[in-house]
Amino acid sequence: MMTEISLNILDVAENSTRAGASLVTILVSVNTSTDELTVQLSDDGCGMTKEQLEHVTDPFFTTRQTRKVGLGIPFFKYAAESTGGSFSIESKPGIGTKTTAVFGLSHIDRMPLGDMNSTIQTLITCHPDTDFLYIYRYNEASFELDTRLFREILGEIAFDTPEVAAYIKEYLFENKLETDGGAVI
Amino acid sequence: MKTLEELKAIREKMQSQVSMRGEDHARTRILVGMATCGIASGARPVLNKLSDLVQENHMTDRFSVTQTGCIGLCQYEPIVEVLEPGKEKVTYIKMTAEKAEEVYKEHLIGGHVVQNYTLSSADIK
C-alpha cells in the first residue's frame, strides 16, 4: 500500500517511462471549491492493447516476468474511489496512455498528496532522456516545470550536474510554495 | 516565481568548465528498484539520498544512480544493486536513506562492502 498520492504518481510515471514515452505530462490540480484533487498522467509511450487495458485494474494481471501480481494501478484506483472520487484509464497502442484519478479533497480516507517535489525530482534524475511536463494547480494559481525548456537552455549540460540539480530542486520548492501558499494537501 | 533566467546564468557559468563526465562503461552503476514494490517500501528517499550524495560530492563522473524494475525479490525491497565494472554485483536489501548513506561512504567511497545489509548475508528460507 502506498502512503502518499505522490508515490502512486511516481509509480504510474515509471510505467510511462517503461513504455518508452518521450514525454510524460503530470497534472496535479487542487480545487477547494469543488472539493476535488485531480491527478492526470499522460504519455506518448507504446500504449496498451484492448486486452491489456481490460485487465489493467486486476491485481492478478501484470506484463512482468518477475512476479505474478501488478498492484500499482489497483492501488491508485482504490485510493481514488475510496474517497468518493473516480478513476479512468485510456490507452491506444502506438499512441500512449492517459490515467486520471479524482479524489474527494476533504474526504477522511484521502491519503496525503505527499512530497510531489521529490517525485518529480526522482523522475528527472532517473530518466535523463525522457521529458517531463509537470503542471501544479491550486485553485486559480499554477506553475509548470517543463524539462524541454530546461534542455533547450542547458544543451549538453546534464540535469544531474550539482548546480542544475540544485536549481531544479529550488524551482520546485519556491514555485510550489508560491502557488499553494504552503497549504497542507 | 523562480524563472528560467537563473538557469541561463548557470549555463553561462558551466560552459566555461570542461566536462569531466567519465565514460559510461567506466562508471559504477547504482540501481535502485523502483517498481510498485520498491516505491511502496520506501525506495524514493533511498534513491534521492544516493543521488544527492553523488551530486553534492561531485562524483557524477564516477557513479551513476538510476532506477530499475522489479527483480522478483519484493519482500527485500528497497533493493540497491551496485555494479562496479570488473567486480561482482553487490545487492543491498531493506535499505533506508540512513543505510544508503553508510553504503555510499563505506562501499562506494571506501571500497568496503557493508556485509550486514547484503542479500548474501540475509537468512533466506
Side-chain angles (χ1 to χ4, degrees):
Chain A
M1 190 67 190
M2 299 292 179
T3 49
E4 297 176 1
I5 293 170
S6 70
L7 291 175
N8 284 293
I9 294 172
L10 176 58
D11 191 22
V12 177
E14 284 291 337
N15 294 345
S16 293
T17 62
R18 211 165 289 124
S22 57
L23 175 68
V24 183
T25 303
I26 300 168
L27 166 76
V28 173
S29 177
V30 180
N31 191 327
T32 51
S33 56
T34 59
D35 196 36
E36 280 175 341
L37 166 61
T38 305
V39 175
Q40 188 168 73
L41 292 107
S42 34
D43 69 54
D44 57 358
C46 64
M48 285 179 282
T49 62
K50 199 164 166 279
E51 200 249 342
Q52 285 173 328
L53 191 60
E54 273 166 16
H55 291 102
V56 74
T57 57
D58 172 0
F60 297 100
F61 175 81
T62 182
T63 54
R64 282 183 197 281
Q65 306 293 317
T66 51
R67 53 168 148 77
K68 289 175 179 164
V69 293
L71 299 175
I73 292 294
F75 274 165
F76 196 27
K77 181 175 189 273
Y78 180 76
E81 288 177 349
S82 63
T83 66
S86 62
F87 180 88
S88 69
I89 184 160
E90 297 161 38
S91 190
K92 278 209 176 81
I95 305 288
T97 300
K98 183 158 90 178
T99 308
T100 310
V102 181
F103 294 81
L105 186 61
S106 63
H107 196 286
I108 188 100
D109 289 329
R110 183 182 63 81
M111 62 174 100
L113 176 60
D115 193 350
M116 256 326 282
N117 292 355
S118 179
T119 281
I120 300 297
Q121 183 89 28
T122 305
L123 287 167
I124 295 173
T125 308
C126 286
H127 304 283
D129 300 324
T130 309
D131 278 311
F132 294 93
L133 170 60
Y134 170 48
I135 305 159
Y136 181 74
R137 273 193 211 128
Y138 186 84
N139 294 330
E140 300 305 309
S142 73
F143 86 93
E144 284 185 16
L145 178 153
D146 190 339
T147 57
R148 292 171 299 184
L149 299 179
F150 289 178
R151 215 178 286 280
E152 213 170 276
I153 292 170
L154 289 169
E156 293 294 295
I157 302 164
F159 288 159
D160 66 355
T161 310
E163 290 83 353
V164 176
Y167 168 84
I168 296 173
K169 207 172 273 186
E170 285 163 27
Y171 184 96
L172 285 163
F173 178 81
E174 283 184 22
N175 293 355
K176 178 180 183 292
L177 189 63
E178 210 166 303
T179 301
D180 64 17
V184 179
I185 301 155
Chain B
M1 288 275 175
K2 205 165 176 72
T3 64
L4 295 171
E5 291 307 312
E6 286 173 60
L7 192 61
K8 286 178 187 161
I10 292 169
R11 180 198 57 192
E12 300 308 322
K13 209 180 81 193
M14 303 296 301
Q15 268 176 344
S16 55
Q17 299 171 13
V18 182
S19 173
M20 294 291 284
R21 176 62 47 92
E23 291 297 315
D24 262 1
H25 58 83
R27 285 200 287 172
T28 294
R29 293 168 66 214
I30 302 152
L31 302 177
V32 183
M34 291 289 275
T36 306
C37 45
I39 294 169
S41 321
R44 190 180 65 184
V46 171
L47 190 144
N48 284 341
K49 174 58 85 178
L50 287 168
S51 63
D52 282 353
L53 285 167
V54 169
Q55 287 164 8
E56 283 161 12
N57 295 293
H58 296 86
M59 288 290 175
T60 47
D61 56 329
R62 282 185 57 194
F63 306 115
S64 78
V65 182
T66 190
Q67 97 305 336
T68 189
C70 169
I71 58 169
L73 297 167
C74 310
Q75 68 273 38
Y76 295 114
E77 295 280 357
I79 293 175
V80 174
E81 296 175 298
V82 178
L83 290 89
E84 195 174 341
K87 290 196 181 168
E88 218 169 294
K89 176 173 78 180
V90 179
T91 305
Y92 290 108
I93 59 168
K94 297 188 178 175
M95 295 301 282
T96 60
E98 290 72 29
K99 287 180 183 175
E101 189 159 8
E102 223 178 307
V103 166
Y104 175 80
K105 286 182 183 148
E106 301 292 325
H107 182 171
L108 300 176
I109 300 300
H112 304 289
V113 175
V114 188
Q115 291 297 345
N116 288 350
Y117 304 157
T118 60
L119 178 64
S120 50
S121 75
D123 191 11
I124 297 171
K125 294 185 180 88

